[in-house]
Amino acid sequence: MSHADPNCIFCKIAEGQIPSRKVYEDEELLGFHDIRPHAPVHFLLIPKVHVPSLQEVGPEHEALLGRMLALAPRLARENGADNGFRVVVNTGPDGGQEVYHLHVHVMGGPRPWRVG
């Protein structure tokens, strides 16, 4: 597992080569607003280490995944999803994954949300 993929847009965002509207950052994780939001609150959480998808996750990633999911509720509330939110991890082509860097979508806010 490499730390970064030079061709990965999310690795470039994590390294600061491409700007983003950050909602969170620490040594392991980055949270930023989705550029095509599907809900009033819609941000992504990504590991800074390059993991192509949830399909490639192993036991060595358990703590990282736990941190991502444990952080989601706090960030959702801080960004205005006070009445609930959805967490989505698209995996592989049949799962709708568009960027092959593990990421968690956190979506919330007043409904109805845009579909598609």
Side-chain angles (χ1 to χ4, degrees), residues 31-86:
F32 56 94
H33 290 277
D34 194 293
I35 61 169
R36 292 188 326 247
H38 290 263
V41 174
H42 187 172
F43 60 88
L44 307 177
L45 284 175
I46 67 168
K48 289 186 175 180
V49 62
H50 184 78
V51 178
S53 78
L54 192 59
Q55 191 131 14
E56 282 79 19
V57 165
E60 69 275 18
H61 300 106
E62 288 177 7
L64 182 66
L65 290 171
R67 285 199 64 233
M68 291 172 76
L69 290 178
L71 184 60
R74 186 186 102 203
L75 295 178
R77 282 189 306 273
E78 288 176 0
N79 284 275
D82 299 321
N83 201 31
F85 59 95
R86 176 182 295 174

Side-chain angles (χ1 to χ4, degrees), residues 52-56 89-100 103:
S53 78
L54 192 59
Q55 191 131 14
E56 282 79 19
V89 181
N90 299 324
T91 305
D94 289 342
Q97 187 173 2
E98 295 178 8
V99 177
Y100 282 82
H103 57 286

